[in-house]
Amino acid sequence: MTRPWYETFFDGDYQLVSRRHFAEVDTPREVDALWRLLALAPGQRVLDTVCGFGRHAIPLAERGCVVTGCDLSEREITRARAATAVSGATVRWLRCDMRELPFDGEFDAAFNAYTAWGYFEDDAENLRALKAFRRALKLGGRFLFDFVNVYGISRRAPRVWEASDDGIVILRESRIDYRRGRRVVVGALLC
């Protein structure tokens, strides 16, 4: 049986393809937005899924939140642990599927950032993820997720060339599945 794409994609060349979207100048602005939109305060318990290498979780921990970061990718969790060691922040890292979060009423707030939503082909699986978030939150807890407006990006060309400062050129091809309201990346080429 073929494994779903999201179980292997982030352990491959993902960082090379997406590095331009993780600009250090964007992270403080995004963390400020999370702080404001989730009405966070020092001491609050916060869940970050799909956390990747911790670019939101670590700054929130540095601001005094008690942060848990979850991601399905072992590679990303390993990178997050290394980044935490460098920063001196304290974050609990856990490798897990967002549909199977092992928490019950533990968090004041939870978020799913950087379009890490809609990975599952079956809407019932997306509903499982929402229910897992609900279970993880305390009564009255706040939840935020962001995603790309598929109809807004449909105006862009299906092929996008990007060049990084280190000379890597990336061609991304995608199509819009209008019936399901999804953007489907059909390929990326590194040069």
Side-chain angles (χ1 to χ4, degrees):
M1 179 177 210
T2 304
R3 292 171 60 191
W5 69 271
Y6 52 82
E7 288 186 12
T8 57
F9 178 78
F10 300 99
D11 290 329
D13 291 331
Y14 171 71
Q15 291 307 316
L16 292 174
V17 173
S18 298
R19 78 172 69 201
R20 293 192 60 188
H21 298 288
F22 295 134
E24 289 181 17
V25 296
D26 293 340
T27 300
R29 182 179 46 84
E30 292 168 5
V31 171
D32 286 344
L34 288 167
W35 191 266
R36 186 182 70 257
L37 293 168
L38 290 169
L40 297 176
Q44 288 189 320
R45 300 180 65 82
V46 179
L47 174 63
D48 177 0
T49 71
V50 173
C51 67
F53 61 90
R55 74 184 187 102
H56 297 116
I58 293 169
L60 289 173
E62 290 171 342
R63 288 186 181 196
C65 291
V66 179
V67 181
T68 297
C70 297
D71 201 291
L72 187 60
S73 169
E74 185 64 43
R75 180 179 179 187
E76 292 299 285
I77 290 295
T78 299
R79 291 181 68 215
R81 286 184 178 124
T84 305
V86 170
S87 77
T90 300
V91 178
R92 175 174 60 165
W93 301 111
L94 180 65
R95 183 181 179 271
C96 69
D97 187 314
M98 70 175 135
R99 296 169 293 185
E100 300 168 3
L101 297 172
F103 310 110
D104 187 11
E106 186 173 330
F107 298 96
D108 299 294
F111 65 94
N112 179 279
Y114 195 67
T115 69
W117 186 255
Y119 286 176
F120 311 114
E121 292 297 318
D122 183 349
D123 287 338
E125 294 304 301
N126 289 316
L127 182 59
R128 272 184 64 205
L130 281 175
K131 288 180 178 180
F133 278 111
R134 176 60 197 106
R135 274 191 314 277
L137 289 168
K138 295 176 181 177
L139 186 62
R142 297 163 309 280
F143 176 63
L144 179 139
F145 69 99
D146 83 310
F147 56 94
V148 172
N149 178 333
V150 71
Y151 302 106
I153 65 168
S154 68
R155 295 184 190 114
R156 297 182 192 158
R159 288 188 176 154
V160 177
W161 289 93
E162 298 177 340
S164 65
D165 293 337
D166 55 3
I168 295 174
V169 177
I170 302 162
L171 166 63
R172 260 190 253 215
E173 293 188 73
S174 62
R175 65 177 174 76
I176 305 297
D177 180 343
Y178 289 99
R179 184 182 63 78
R180 297 184 65 215
R182 294 177 186 234
R183 173 184 179 211
V184 180
V185 176
V186 293
L189 172 68
L190 304 176
C191 303

